């Protein structure tokens, strides 16, 4: 019997007995996977290793961010609608239509703000995270895509794809701080636990590592073809390579590539559980998510989703904040 099946059976058995389970599975974590083609949202329970709900989500959704108080935020790029949903029921609690090109999204739990990138108009929207009312707009470079907030809540950054740069802001005052040149066509980005900013450059097939507080580029690391999303676990960075159907594994200590992990076809969104025991990767062309053990660098389970999973952003909830 495959190890993935054994693991899933053990988890279900422990849950049925009402016992705790600490190895390889984060009981609190739920994955919320936006599916662009199918215009749905898959809710995946990582303890039971199965999809527990599939909710309609019109407008070609891609961007996603988990919040606090059971709030989930999504961006439907086709209809230009940003929604606040219930994590438990999928019910829309509030929504707004943003004229332009909304795509990336990030939630700031300290200030109850939501940031959405405007692909067409060189801007980030700043929204109230409850009402979704627009509070401000921030200038960026051309075609801002991914957005990230540092773990200490001090710095906000956007990947400006068509200007080959990252825009950096003070997350409290919203004042622009600097624009930092990176590789070719940056798209996804995320802050490491130690505060360094990792940026995936889809045009140059590398990752730029920045000190966002100074603007210094610390390293440029080669990865697979078309790097898209970045997550961190067990002192490593994991980068999803769209065209290579793989994850590049990078040591956070040496900033050297360590390994490649084969996943599904056209991997995009990637996130790590709170305890760093699992990685979840959305495979757009396979209609699956790959569940990867960051200790062994192996796929322990592959689960079906709705059609066209993208999950661009932070999509794991149930205990992150």
């Amino acid at each position: 019997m495959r190890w993935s099946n054994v693991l899933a059976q053990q988890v279900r058995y422990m849950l049925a007995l009402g016992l705790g389970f600490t190895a390889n599975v984060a009981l609190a974590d739920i994955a919320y996977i936006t599916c662009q083609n199918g215009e749905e949202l898959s809710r995946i329970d990582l303890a039971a290793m199965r999809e527990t709900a599939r909710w309609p989500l019109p407008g070609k959704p891609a961007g996603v961010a988990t919040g606090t108080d059971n709030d989930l935020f999504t961006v439907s790029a086709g209809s230009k609608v940003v929604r606040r949903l219930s994590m438990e029921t999928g019910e829309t609690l509030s929504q707004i239509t943003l004229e332009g090109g909304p795509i990336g999204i990030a939630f700031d739990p300290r200030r109850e703000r939501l940031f959405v990138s405007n692909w067409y108009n060189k801007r980030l929207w700043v929204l109230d995270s409850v009402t979704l009312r627009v509070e401000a707009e921030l200038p960026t470079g051309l075609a801002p895509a991914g957005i990230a907030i540092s773990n200490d809540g001090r710095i906000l950054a956007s990947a400006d794809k068509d200007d080959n740069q990252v825009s950096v802001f003070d997350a409290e005052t919203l004042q622009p701080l600097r624009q930092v040149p990176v590789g070719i066509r940056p798209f996804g980005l995320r802050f490491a636990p130690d505060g360094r900013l990792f940026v995936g450059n889809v045009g140059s097939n590398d990752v730029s590592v920045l000190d966002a507080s100074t603007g210094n580029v610390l390293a440029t690391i080669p990865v697979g073809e078309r790097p898209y999303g970045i997550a961190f676990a067990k002192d490593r960075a994991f980068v999803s390579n769209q065209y290579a159907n793989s994850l590049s594994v990078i040591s956070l200590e040496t900033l050297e590539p360590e390994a490649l992990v084969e996943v599904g076809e056209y991997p995009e969104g990637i996130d790590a559980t709170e305890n760093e025991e699992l990685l979840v990767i959305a495979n757009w062309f396979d209609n699956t998510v790959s569940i990867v053990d960051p200790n062994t660098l192996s796929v322990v389970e592959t689960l079906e989703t709705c059609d066209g999973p993208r999950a661009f952003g932070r999509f794991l909830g149930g205990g992150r904040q």
Side-chain angles (χ1 to χ4, degrees):
M1 181 179 293
R2 291 174 54 235
W3 160 245
S4 59
N5 292 334
V6 172
L7 176 63
Q9 286 183 6
Q10 287 178 336
V11 173
R12 286 190 283 270
Y13 176 71
M14 298 290 279
L15 290 174
L17 293 179
L19 301 176
F21 187 83
T22 58
N24 292 330
V25 175
L27 290 174
D29 282 294
I30 304 292
Y32 298 89
I33 308 296
T34 48
C35 294
Q36 192 167 62
N37 300 346
E39 299 190 313
E40 292 181 302
L41 182 78
S42 281
R43 183 184 188 274
I44 296 174
D45 185 332
L46 297 178
M49 288 290 184
R50 65 184 182 89
E51 183 183 57
T52 57
R54 190 174 290 189
W55 298 316
L57 191 60
K60 305 298 181 183
V64 61
T66 54
T68 53
D69 299 325
N70 291 316
D71 283 343
L72 177 72
F73 305 96
T74 62
V75 179
S76 291
S79 60
K80 305 180 181 180
V81 175
V82 176
R83 293 179 174 88
R84 178 171 68 96
L85 308 174
S86 165
M87 285 184 176
E88 295 178 351
T89 66
E91 175 189 3
T92 297
L93 304 174
S94 54
Q95 67 178 55
I96 187 173
T97 301
L98 297 173
E99 292 304 323
I103 178 169
I105 189 168
F107 173 65
D108 180 353
R110 291 169 178 80
R111 305 166 187 93
E112 297 186 348
R113 289 171 174 162
L114 197 64
F115 297 94
V116 178
S117 54
N118 186 343
W119 180 266
Y120 296 128
N121 295 322
K122 300 170 58 177
R123 291 288 186 273
L124 299 183
W125 284 287
V126 185
L127 309 180
D128 178 276
S129 66
V130 176
T131 66
L132 302 187
R133 179 179 61 86
V134 177
E135 296 183 335
E137 295 186 19
L138 310 180
T140 66
L142 288 168
I147 310 172
I149 299 172
S150 61
N151 295 337
D152 62 10
R154 294 177 50 247
I155 298 176
L156 168 72
S158 74
D160 304 338
K161 177 174 173 287
D162 289 350
D163 266 339
N164 304 327
Q165 69 177 28
V166 170
S167 290
V168 180
F169 303 86
D170 183 308
E172 175 64 36
T173 66
L174 302 180
Q175 291 300 307
L177 297 178
R178 60 190 55 85
Q179 293 178 322
V180 184
V182 290
I184 299 172
R185 298 198 296 278
F187 200 86
L189 74 173
R190 194 165 293 180
F191 284 91
D194 63 9
R196 290 177 293 180
L197 180 61
F198 284 61
V199 184
N201 305 305
V202 299
S204 49
N205 297 330
D206 53 31
V207 169
S208 300
V209 183
L210 313 181
D211 181 338
S213 63
T214 64
N216 292 332
V217 177
L218 306 175
T220 301
I221 307 166
V223 292
E225 192 171 3
R226 295 296 180 90
Y228 183 89
I230 302 168
F232 303 95
K234 302 301 179 181
D235 297 318
R236 292 162 164 162
F238 295 82
V239 183
S240 59
N241 302 311
Q242 290 173 315
Y243 283 18
N245 304 332
S246 68
L247 303 182
S248 289
V249 184
I250 300 166
S251 166
L252 290 182
E253 180 180 358
T254 66
L255 297 182
E256 293 291 332
E258 286 190 338
L260 285 174
V261 180
E262 293 186 4
V263 289
E265 187 176 5
Y266 216 89
E268 291 210 337
I270 179 172
D271 209 354
T273 56
E274 187 183 25
N275 63 5
E276 299 186 1
E277 292 297 335
L278 292 176
L279 293 158
V280 183
I281 302 93
N283 303 309
W284 188 9
F285 287 5
D286 267 355
N287 298 336
T288 64
V289 292
S290 298
I291 313 297
V292 171
D293 183 331
N295 293 294
T296 63
L297 302 182
S298 60
V299 175
V300 298
E301 189 64 273
T302 300
L303 304 173
E304 292 186 1
T305 67
C306 37
D307 186 16
R310 307 266 334 250
F312 182 41
R314 303 294 296 266
F315 57 82
L316 292 182
R320 176 188 302 282
Q321 282 92 15

